[in-house]
Amino acid sequence: MKNWLDKTILAPVKRRSFMKWSTAVSGAAMASSALPLKAIASATADNNVIASDTKTTWSACMVNCGSRCALQVHTKDGVITSVESDNRGDDKEFGQHQIRACLRGRSIKGRVYNPDRLKYPMKRVGKRGEGRFERISWDEAMDLMADKLKYTISEYGNDSIFFTYGSGTQGYRTDGQHAFKRLVNMIGGYLGYHGNYSWGQIQYALPFTYGTKKPSAFGSYTSEIKNAKLLVMFGYNPAETRMSGGGEIYEYTQALRESGVRTIIIDPRYTDTMLGKEDEWLSIRPGTDAALVEAMAYVMITENLVNQEFLDTYCQGFDEKTMPAGAPANGHYKAHILGQGADKTAKTPEWAAKITGIPAKKIIQLAREIGTTKPAYIVQGTGIQRQANGEQTTRAICMLPILTGNIGLPGTHTGDMPANFGYPVPTLPSGSNPVKVQIPFFLWTDAITRAHEMTDKTDGLKGGTKLENPIKFIISYAGNALINQHSQINKTKEIIADESLAEFIVVVDNHMTPSARYADLLLPDVTTIENTEVSSDGYASGSMGAVVPLVPAIKPLYECRSAYEMCTMLAQRFGIEEKYTEGRTHEQWVEHLYAGARAKDARLPTLEQLRVQGPFQILAPETGRIALEDFRKDPIKHALGTPSGKIEIYSTKLADIANEWTLREGDVITPLPQYVTTWESHLDPKTREFPLQLVGFHTKGRVHSTYHNVPVLREAVMDGVWINPIDAAARDIKNGDAVRIFNDRGETRVLAKVTPRIMPGVMALGEGAWYKPGKNGVDMGGAINSITSQRPTPLSKGNPQHTNLVEIAKA
Ligand SMILES: Nc1nc2c(c(=O)[nH]1)N[C@H]1C(S)=C(S)[C@@H](COP(=O)(O)OP(=O)(O)OC[C@H]3O[C@@H](n4cnc5c(=O)[nH]c(N)nc54)[C@H](O)[C@@H]3O)O[C@H]1N2
Ligand SMILES: Nc1nc2c(c(=O)[nH]1)N[C@H]1C(S)=C(S)[C@@H](COP(=O)(O)OP(=O)(O)OC[C@H]3O[C@@H](n4cnc5c(=O)[nH]c(N)nc54)[C@H](O)[C@@H]3O)O[C@H]1N2
Ligand code: SF4
Ligand SMILES: [Mo]
C-alpha cells in the first residue's frame, strides 16, 4: 500500500521537499502539511470502497487555452494511474479527428495530486496577504461567507460585490462561475465587467469598423486559408497558443498542407508557428504594426493597388466621395496617408521604417505583394492589441483586407482573429443581474480605490453613468487575477492588502496560488477530474465543434466540494435553497440540461453513450464560413451594424467619442485607424533609463498561471526571458544567466534565454509564472506582472500588458 501511494501520489512532492514546500506557502499549508499522509490515506481509503479495480473515464482539460481536449483518465482502486489523450479512430477524416491533448493536459495528474492543493476550507489568521490560515469546517465557512455577504449588501449594496476575472474552468456549463453567478443574481446581483484580458481591445474597437451584427467575430475559419494565395499573420501564433489536436493549429496546418500558400508572419519573436514553415518572418518593433500598415497603404495608393470599386461601394471614409456629412475636410484616410491630413505627414515607407524597424524596401515589396495577390487571408493574434495603442493597431491591420477588397470572398478574412465554430452546449441558467452598471474588466482595482470618480466618459463604464459604491466584497473563482494575472502586482498588492478598502475576499481554487494568499476565506474546489459535466469544444476549435463528457474519475480529494455544492449551502443560508436548486443535484442538472439539448438535436447520442464513446464531434455548416460573404454579395440587404451600414474606415461614433470623453494626458482616440505613439513606446523619453521593450507571450509551458506548479512542465519549457545576443553582449549576459528585469514599477528575477529569435531592442517573457515575493518587493518568480502597468488603453480601458519599458542586468 505505502509503495504505490509513494509512487502515484507523492511523486510530485519529492521534487520539492515537504520542508521547502511548507516554508514556501507558509502557515496555510503548514496546517495541512502536518497531516498530508494521513489525509491522503483517508481520502484514498474512502475511494477504495467505491472503486472497482481499474477503470477508464472520459474527462477534459478545462483551462483557458481556447481548446477543450479530451482526456482518458485511467484509475486503479480510486487513484489516477495515468492520463491519456484522445486516441480514437484512425484520425484521418477531418471532423472526426482526434482532439489530442498537449503536454499540459497530459500532465493534469500533477495538478490533481499536487502539494499546493487546497484541502479544507480555511480562514485567514495573520495579516491579509501574509498567507497564514486556519482550518475551519464547511459549516463555519459557509456561515462566514453568508454573513459577510448579508452585511455587505445591507451596508453598501449589491453593486459593491465583484467577481474578479477567472478563466481556470472555462469549460464548465453547469458549475463554476455559472453556479456562483446564479446564486448572487438571486440575492440582488453584483457589479459586472465588460470585456476581458484576452481580446478586450479588439472586441471594443472592431465594431466601430465592421458593426455589431452577427457574426460577431468578423472572421473566416482558418480552413479558408486553403483557398488563399497569400497568408499574412500579425502576431498570430497558433502553434503555441492553440495547441489542441482539435483546434486552430490542426486546421491551420491542414490548410497549409493542402495549399502550400505563401506565408508571411509579422512578430517581434520568431515563434513556433514559424519554425521553418513560414516563407518570411518580419520582426517588428512592438506597438508599431499600424505604422507598417499605413506605409503599405501609401504604396498601394500611390501605385494604384487599392481596390477603388470596393472602397466606393462598401466603405465609408476612404476618400472625399464617401465621407459622412459634417466630417472635417481632408479627414479621410487617403488624405491622412498622403500627408494632407491634420498631421501633414506623408506615411511613406521611409517614415515607417524608422518606427517599425522594417526596411523601407521591404515595406514596398510587401505592399506590392499584398496589393497584387488575390485572394489574401490576413489575420491578427491578440498579442498586438495587448498594447497601449491596441485599439488603433487592431483596426489598422483590418485596413489591409479593406484596401485590397480581400473581404467576403473564398480565401479571404477580415483581418480580425479567425472564427471558430462552437456547438452550443446548454448552461445552468444564471438569471439576469439586477445591477446594470459595468466597469471595464481591467479597472477593478480603480473601482476599489476611486469608484466615486469613475464615469462612463472618464473610465468607460457601461450600463450606467457612474458608480454608487466602491468594491467591498471580492469573489475570485478559478482566477489568479487578484495578484498574478492583473498588471502591476506591487500596486495591486497594496490595494488589496488594505482591509478598509475591499473588506472581504473569498478565493475558490484548487491550489494555494499567489492570489489565494490574499483571501480572507479559502474554499477548496474539486478539480475537473473529480467533477461531472457535459462541456463544449472551447472557443478555438476551428470549424469543428464538440460535445465533451466529463465523468468523475476519482472521488473528491480531501474535503473539496464543487461550486454548485458550495452555492447550495449558501442558498440555504439565504432561505432560497429550493429556488436555487429547483430540487436538482449537480448531476441532475447535467442530465436535465442534456436531455433538453437532445430533444432539440437528434444527432446527439444519449448521455450514457456519450460518456462511453467520448466527445461527439460536429462540423460547422458549409455556409457562413467566410466572413461578410453576404455583405459582399448584397451590401444593402446585408448592411453592417455601423451607423452607415458600411465598413467605416472613418468612424462617426469614434469621432463623437473623441469629442465627448475626458482622456488622460497623452491618450488619443481618432476616427481613422492610425499609428499613435504612446507612453512606454520606443520613442518615450523613459528609454534613457529603461531602453528595452518587454512583451509578454502565452507560453506552451502552462496556461496563464495554471499548470505552472507541475514540475515536469517546468523542466520541459524553460522559463527564460528572450534577449537578442546584441543586447545580451552589451550587458555581459550569457545564456542561462540569472538576470533581473526592472523598471519604475517593479523587478522580477528569471533566467536569460539569449537568442536571435527575438529582435534587438526587444525582450519577451512568457506570462503566468507564479509571483514569489522576495525582499523589497522584488519578485523571485519571473512573473511579468511585477513590471506591467495599470494604466489602461485609451478607448476600451483595457490591458496594455505587452507595453513595457525595462532594463535588464545580471542578478
Ligand atoms: N500555451 C498557451 N496557450 C494559450 C494560453 C496560454 O496561456 N498558454 N492562453 C490562451 C488565451 S486566454 C489567449 S487570450 C490566447 C492569447 O493568444 P495571443 O494573444 O495570440 O498570444 P500572445 O502570446 O500574447 O501574443 C501572440 C504573439 O504576438 C506577439 N506580439 C506582441 N506584441 C506584438 C506587436 O506589437 N506586434 C506584433 N506583430 N506582434 C506582437 C508576441 O510576440 C506573440 O508571439 O492564447 C491562448 N492559448
Ligand atoms: N502580463 C500579462 N498578463 C496577462 C496576460 C498576458 O498576456 N500578459 N494574459 C491575460 C489573459 S489573455 C488572460 S485570459 C488572463 C488569465 O487569467 P486567469 O483567468 O486568472 O487564468 P489563470 O492564471 O490560469 O488562473 C486560473 C486559476 O484557476 C484555478 N483553477 C484551475 N482549475 C480549477 C478548478 O477546477 N476550480 C477552481 N476553483 N479553480 C481552478 C487555477 O489554479 C488558477 O489559479 O491573464 C491575463 N494576464
Ligand atoms: S492546455 Fe489546451 S491544448 Fe493543452 S490539453 Fe489543455 S485544452 Fe488541450
Ligand atoms: Mo486570454
Side-chain angles (χ1 to χ4, degrees):
M1 170 86 174
K2 193 156 179 297
N3 254 346
W4 65 256
L5 248 183
D6 271 333
K7 263 202 225 111
T8 54
I9 298 181
L10 298 180
V13 183
K14 274 199 229 141
R15 296 183 186 277
R16 293 154 84 185
S17 72
F18 266 105
M19 201 47 231
K20 244 165 95 192
W21 159 51
S22 43
T23 22
V25 295
S26 153
M30 285 258 239
S32 42
S33 72
L35 43 139
L37 261 178
K38 207 170 135 202
I40 290 165
S42 74
T44 50
D46 206 14
N47 289 339
N48 284 339
V49 179
I50 53 129
S52 63
D53 203 21
T54 61
K55 61 176 184 174
T56 300
T57 43
W58 283 102
S59 191
C61 177
M62 303 273 268
V63 294
N64 179 10
C65 91
S67 309
R68 192 80 58 241
C69 296
L71 299 173
Q72 298 184 78
V73 186
H74 303 295
T75 56
K76 184 164 194 296
D77 299 332
V79 176
I80 302 170
T81 49
S82 63
V83 175
E84 229 179 329
S85 174
D86 181 6
N87 56 7
R88 296 165 304 166
D90 62 6
D91 199 34
K92 290 255 164 60
E93 189 192 336
F94 187 87
Q96 289 307 316
H97 53 282
Q98 294 162 2
I99 312 179
R100 290 194 203 165
C102 77
L103 69 171
R104 298 174 298 258
R106 290 170 199 238
S107 68
I108 201 165
K109 187 178 141 193
R111 277 211 292 133
V112 177
Y113 300 128
N114 191 292
D116 295 329
R117 191 81 196 255
L118 298 174
K119 302 182 173 78
Y120 325 101
M122 291 197 277
K123 167 173 107 175
R124 170 170 68 87
V125 287
K127 276 206 291 220
R128 191 185 276 166
E130 224 173 62
R132 292 200 295 127
F133 295 89
E134 79 183 16
R135 180 179 174 177
I136 55 175
S137 70
W138 271 110
D139 270 339
E140 284 171 288
M142 294 294 94
D143 286 345
L144 178 61
M145 183 161 169
D147 286 349
K148 292 288 181 184
L149 273 171
K150 286 175 189 165
Y151 161 82
T152 306
I153 292 168
S154 74
E155 190 72 16
Y156 303 104
N158 279 82
D159 56 354
S160 64
I161 302 169
F162 185 71
F163 285 93
T164 51
Y165 183 82
S167 66
T169 58
Q170 279 250 327
Y172 276 147
R173 287 296 171 268
T174 59
D175 203 351
Q177 296 279 7
H178 300 286
F180 272 104
K181 291 193 172 160
R182 176 176 168 87
L183 177 86
V184 179
N185 280 339
M186 284 182 181
I187 58 170
Y190 58 93
L191 177 68
Y193 59 77
H194 62 83
N196 59 53
Y197 288 83
S198 306
W199 46 69
Q201 287 67 257
I202 293 189
Q203 215 175 38
Y204 201 97
L206 284 197
F208 293 104
T209 307
Y210 288 125
T212 46
K213 265 170 99 176
K214 294 272 166 198
S216 55
F218 320 98
S220 304
Y221 294 113
T222 49
S223 52
E224 267 315 301
I225 291 171
K226 68 173 181 286
N227 298 319
K229 291 231 166 55
L230 180 67
L231 173 61
V232 184
M233 326 214 292
F234 286 83
Y236 177 58
N237 182 23
E240 284 169 280
T241 63
R242 306 296 184 208
M243 289 172 76
S244 167
E248 275 175 32
I249 188 59
Y250 183 81
E251 191 152 322
Y252 168 80
T253 43
Q254 288 256 323
L256 288 197
R257 233 175 257 150
E258 270 183 60
S259 69
V261 62
R262 186 170 143 75
T263 305
I264 298 165
I265 307 186
I266 301 156
D267 195 306
R269 287 194 313 137
Y270 185 79
T271 63
D272 282 13
T273 302
M274 306 180 212
L275 288 183
K277 293 186 286 293
E278 88 295 3
D279 292 292
E280 197 158 359
W281 167 40
L282 294 180
S283 59
I284 190 167
R285 207 169 264 146
T288 67
D289 301 68
L292 172 66
V293 170
E294 286 182 81
M296 287 200 269
Y298 182 91
V299 176
M300 289 176 187
I301 291 170
T302 52
E303 298 189 4
N304 253 331
L305 297 174
V306 298
N307 186 335
Q308 190 69 47
E309 195 204 332
F310 182 82
L311 293 164
D312 291 345
T313 316
Y314 297 94
C315 307
Q316 165 174 292
F318 172 68
D319 54 22
E320 204 64 57
K321 289 198 291 288
T322 55
M323 278 298 266
N330 280 344
H332 52 86
Y333 193 73
K334 195 170 171 181
H336 167 74
I337 296 296
L338 296 179
Q340 296 147 4
D343 66 3
K344 299 279 178 252
T345 307
K347 309 303 177 303
T348 61
E350 292 71 26
W351 167 83
K354 285 200 208 98
I355 298 170
T356 59
I358 300 175
K361 249 169 75 183
K362 181 92 284 174
I363 298 176
I364 296 169
Q365 190 193 335
L366 187 61
R368 288 179 182 156
E369 190 170 0
I370 296 176
T372 54
T373 319
K374 292 193 168 78
Y377 188 104
I378 299 162
V379 61
Q380 58 183 284
T382 59
I384 59 103
Q385 54 97 64
R386 231 169 274 122
Q387 297 273 2
N389 52 11
E391 294 98 352
Q392 296 284 4
T393 305
T394 185
R395 284 199 302 140
I397 290 170
C398 294
M399 283 311 298
L400 290 177
I402 292 171
L403 289 167
T404 53
N406 270 302
I407 286 181
L409 303 172
T412 69
H413 175 48
T414 52
D416 192 359
M417 26 198 275
N420 286 282
F421 176 67
Y423 187 84
V425 170
T427 57
L428 180 72
S430 45
S432 76
N433 183 356
V435 178
K436 295 303 170 207
V437 66
Q438 291 183 331
I439 57 171
F441 68 94
F442 191 58
L443 295 192
W444 62 271
T445 36
D446 291 62
I448 297 176
T449 55
R450 52 172 203 93
H452 61 284
E453 293 170 20
M454 294 172 74
T455 71
D456 52 338
K457 297 205 166 53
T458 55
D459 294 279
L461 304 185
K462 281 188 180 177
T465 55
K466 60 185 174 88
L467 293 182
E468 300 294 338
N469 286 297
I471 292 171
K472 286 290 178 186
F473 191 110
I474 297 177
I475 304 173
S476 171
Y477 167 82
N480 204 352
L482 199 57
I483 285 286
N484 221 75
Q485 297 306 110
H486 190 54
S487 286
Q488 209 171 340
I489 291 176
N490 283 330
K491 185 172 175 187
T492 314
K493 259 171 68 175
E494 209 173 291
I495 293 169
I496 63 172
D498 185 339
E499 293 162 37
S500 72
L501 295 173
E503 293 179 15
F504 201 69
I505 300 179
V506 183
V507 171
V508 189
D509 207 294
N510 300 136
H511 296 139
M512 181 58 86
T513 64
S515 291
R517 295 174 63 93
Y518 279 82
D520 297 313
L521 178 65
L522 262 174
L523 301 176
D525 196 4
V526 293
T527 64
T528 49
I529 300 296
E530 291 146 64
N531 210 347
T532 178
E533 187 57 282
V534 172
S535 187
S536 66
D537 40 69
Y539 56 81
S541 62
S543 57
M544 184 193 68
V547 179
V548 186
L550 273 75
V551 180
I554 55 173
K555 275 186 76 177
L557 290 184
Y558 316 106
E559 284 189 11
C560 296
R561 296 196 182 176
S562 72
Y564 184 81
E565 287 174 277
M566 295 176 206
C567 292
T568 304
M569 292 186 280
L570 287 169
Q572 283 163 2
R573 286 157 174 82
F574 282 91
I576 53 169
E577 185 185 0
E578 188 53 38
K579 184 174 168 200
Y580 183 80
T581 63
E582 296 179 30
R584 293 188 187 95
T585 61
H586 181 209
E587 169 61 16
Q588 284 165 342
W589 270 108
V590 173
E591 289 165 9
H592 169 71
L593 292 171
Y594 189 76
R598 267 195 90 221
K600 283 201 206 113
D601 186 347
R603 294 174 300 178
L604 290 173
T606 66
L607 186 54
E608 293 66 33
Q609 284 165 340
L610 182 76
R611 284 170 168 171
V612 172
Q613 291 163 9
F616 177 73
Q617 287 152 265
I618 300 164
L619 279 178
E622 279 306 318
T623 52
R625 288 173 174 233
I626 302 166
L628 304 188
E629 194 177 15
D630 52 356
F631 172 69
R632 182 76 190 242
K633 281 192 185 123
D634 189 340
I636 307 294
K637 189 168 159 208
H638 300 290
L640 302 180
T642 54
S644 62
K646 294 182 173 188
I647 296 173
E648 295 204 354
I649 299 171
Y650 180 96
S651 162
T652 41
K653 274 193 189 166
L654 282 176
D656 292 345
I657 288 178
N659 283 332
E660 288 167 11
W661 285 15
T662 311
L663 297 177
R664 286 172 198 235
E665 204 187 319
D667 279 6
V668 180
I669 293 175
T670 60
L672 292 176
Q674 61 189 67
Y675 170 68
V676 172
T677 313
T678 66
W679 49 276
E680 300 210 14
S681 71
H682 66 291
L683 297 173
D684 192 314
K686 253 176 111 169
T687 47
R688 269 180 244 128
E689 215 182 331
F690 306 113
L692 298 171
Q693 288 180 280
L694 174 72
V695 295
F697 65 91
H698 291 217
T699 156
K700 60 197 171 201
R702 54 186 166 255
V703 174
H704 309 295
S705 70
T706 309
Y707 284 108
H708 177 78
N709 55 348
V710 176
V712 68
L713 294 177
R714 300 283 57 75
E715 284 174 30
V717 186
M718 173 189 158
D719 257 324
V721 61
W722 294 30
I723 177 168
N724 186 277
I726 296 170
D727 296 320
R731 293 162 180 84
D732 193 28
I733 292 169
K734 308 227 164 28
N735 194 40
D737 277 355
V739 290
R740 38 191 291 260
I741 308 170
F742 55 96
N743 63 12
D744 48 350
R745 292 180 292 269
E747 173 174 331
T748 187
R749 301 284 173 94
V750 69
L751 301 181
K753 171 175 167 143
V754 180
T755 170
R757 287 178 63 176
I758 182 90
M759 70 187 287
V762 182
M763 299 197 297
L765 180 61
E767 59 102 358
W770 284 23
Y771 170 70
K772 203 167 150 196
K775 287 198 191 96
N776 305 323
V778 172
D779 161 46
M780 307 304 287
I784 192 171
N785 283 319
S786 321
I787 302 284
T788 54
S789 167
Q790 283 187 9
R791 175 166 179 168
T793 60
L795 181 61
S796 69
K797 312 299 176 194
N799 53 335
Q801 287 170 304
H802 291 353
T803 299
N804 306 290
L805 286 179
V806 298
E807 181 53 291
I808 182 171
K810 268 194 196 171

